[in-house]
Amino acid sequence: MNAPHTAAPSTDLDHQREAIAGLGHELRALVDATVRTVTPADVLHRVTGEVRRLTAQLTGRRRTRAEIPHVDEFPGGIRMFSPVTGPGSPLAPPVRVTPDGDGVTGHCTLGIAHECPPGYVHGGMSAMLLDELMGWACSAAGTPAMTVSLQLRYHGPVPVETPLRVRARVTGTEARKVFVTGSITTEADGDRQLVTAEAVFVTPDPERARALFPAR
């Protein structure tokens, strides 16, 4: 079991999160330039060496599997390195999540790095966005839970470089099961659903939660 982190003063924590978010922003810009720009091989080799040297500067202790970052609030709070919402992740759009009536809404724009068919988002990215937002909806409803079933219908391709809206809400509960629905639309046409989803989440019992998240 990992030893719990000692909470840092809020000013130090805010400063660390700001630095992580800044690096995440620049890494996302690098990823976008990498997949978008036609660059001569000699330039690519030179940039590869520069990136390797930069990576070597990250010399701090590496997190172990399942260790909760000290900058995170888990469960139910900030996740700096989430591949969906994390401002420090080069993989995340990142999605900005806000409460929305009886559920939550996420806002993001996916780039060329998330493309599969030319001009459109990889279907797996749609699944990841919806799975994440549905989890947020569970937490917002006071029933934090984990996915056990996720069914999607693709009604139309999701465009890249287009502001998107991802909605999710809890529709019912049964014992430890939580039933959730979700959808993806563009911001410009919120009535036209491009992807819809139905999911079942389950709230783990305390013993199972301790086994899954020993560092919590």
Side-chain angles (χ1 to χ4, degrees):
M1 180 181 297
N2 298 311
H5 287 288
T6 301
S10 60
T11 54
D12 291 346
L13 188 58
D14 291 342
H15 181 68
Q16 184 73 9
R17 285 173 176 164
E18 182 181 355
I20 289 170
L23 178 57
H25 175 79
E26 296 305 328
L27 289 174
R28 287 189 291 275
L30 175 62
V31 169
D32 182 71
T34 299
V35 301
R36 178 189 296 273
T37 310
V38 178
T39 307
D42 60 330
V43 175
L44 292 175
H45 286 305
R46 184 172 68 252
V47 171
T48 298
E50 292 173 0
V51 170
R52 186 180 297 115
R53 284 189 290 274
L54 288 173
T55 301
Q57 295 183 42
L58 299 175
T59 57
R61 185 183 69 83
R62 291 178 179 264
R63 271 194 297 128
T64 60
R65 177 183 176 274
E67 180 181 349
I68 300 169
H70 75 283
V71 291
D72 280 7
E73 297 171 359
F74 179 82
I78 295 172
R79 302 299 305 281
M80 290 298 296
F81 303 106
S82 162
V84 180
T85 60
S89 171
L91 307 176
V95 178
R96 304 176 308 282
V97 184
T98 58
D100 183 12
D102 60 349
V104 295
T105 295
H107 306 270
C108 69
T109 300
L110 297 176
I112 301 298
H114 304 113
E115 181 184 67
C116 189
Y120 298 100
V121 173
H122 191 293
M125 283 300 304
S126 297
M128 187 163 70
L129 292 179
L130 283 162
D131 184 47
E132 178 79 6
L133 266 291
M134 288 172 151
W136 278 70
C138 290
S139 295
T143 53
M146 300 176 69
T147 321
V148 295
S149 172
L150 177 62
Q151 295 183 322
L152 276 74
R153 291 191 63 190
Y154 296 87
H155 307 278
V158 177
V160 298
E161 300 187 318
T162 302
L164 301 175
R165 185 180 301 168
V166 189
R167 291 191 177 98
R169 69 184 184 92
V170 171
T171 59
T173 60
E174 179 183 310
R176 291 192 294 114
K177 292 182 179 179
V178 186
F179 302 95
V180 195
T181 60
S183 65
I184 298 176
T185 67
T186 64
E187 290 279 13
D189 189 359
D191 293 328
R192 181 174 175 241
Q193 296 180 331
L194 301 176
V195 186
T196 56
E198 295 182 351
V200 180
F201 283 65
V202 168
T203 301
D205 60 50
E207 183 177 348
R208 179 62 172 159
R210 283 191 294 271
L212 289 170
F213 310 112
R216 178 179 168 181

